[in-house]
Amino acid sequence: AKGLQVVFISLDSDEAQFKEYFEEMPWLALPYQHRRLQTQLCKKFKVSGIPQLVVLDPNGGIILGDACSVVTLDPTGEKFPWDNLGVTWK
């Protein structure tokens, strides 16, 4: 969607798994070796399972904590920012 940037944060158990999975993705990723930052981000955004998609505002505030179902409804982002899909925003 226009104005939407995706950053993948891996919970893979090793770098080889990360590389294999990430090579299929069209977006940015937090480098695998930044495990401390990955742990901090998972804690901050209350990641409880995978996959999990968190939508942030430009200042890093949480707009939607678990957006996977929303993306399923609008996979191309045509209706982004998804306020017209009955989404409850945080």
Side-chain angles (χ1 to χ4, degrees), residues 37-69:
L37 181 55
Q38 175 258 9
T39 300
Q40 292 170 341
L41 291 169
C42 286
K43 184 176 180 180
K44 177 178 180 166
F45 298 118
K46 300 179 178 136
V47 174
S48 58
I50 54 173
Q52 183 161 342
L53 177 64
V54 179
V55 178
L56 305 175
D57 66 25
N59 298 315
I62 298 173
I63 294 173
L64 190 58
D66 188 0
C68 287
S69 60

Side-chain angles (χ1 to χ4, degrees), residues 1-76:
K2 186 176 183 180
L4 179 69
Q5 180 65 58
V6 175
V7 178
F8 171 62
I9 299 174
S10 170
L11 295 180
D12 291 309
S13 57
D14 63 54
E15 192 165 6
Q17 286 180 330
F18 164 77
K19 287 180 179 179
E20 180 180 343
Y21 191 58
F22 178 61
E23 72 182 19
E24 302 172 7
M25 297 182 187
W27 43 70
L28 301 173
L30 178 70
Y32 183 82
Q33 60 270 26
H34 294 169
R35 306 317 288 162
R36 181 184 297 172
L37 181 55
Q38 175 258 9
T39 300
Q40 292 170 341
L41 291 169
C42 286
K43 184 176 180 180
K44 177 178 180 166
F45 298 118
K46 300 179 178 136
V47 174
S48 58
I50 54 173
Q52 183 161 342
L53 177 64
V54 179
V55 178
L56 305 175
D57 66 25
N59 298 315
I62 298 173
I63 294 173
L64 190 58
D66 188 0
C68 287
S69 60
V70 175
V71 172
T72 301
L73 293 172
D74 183 29
T76 64

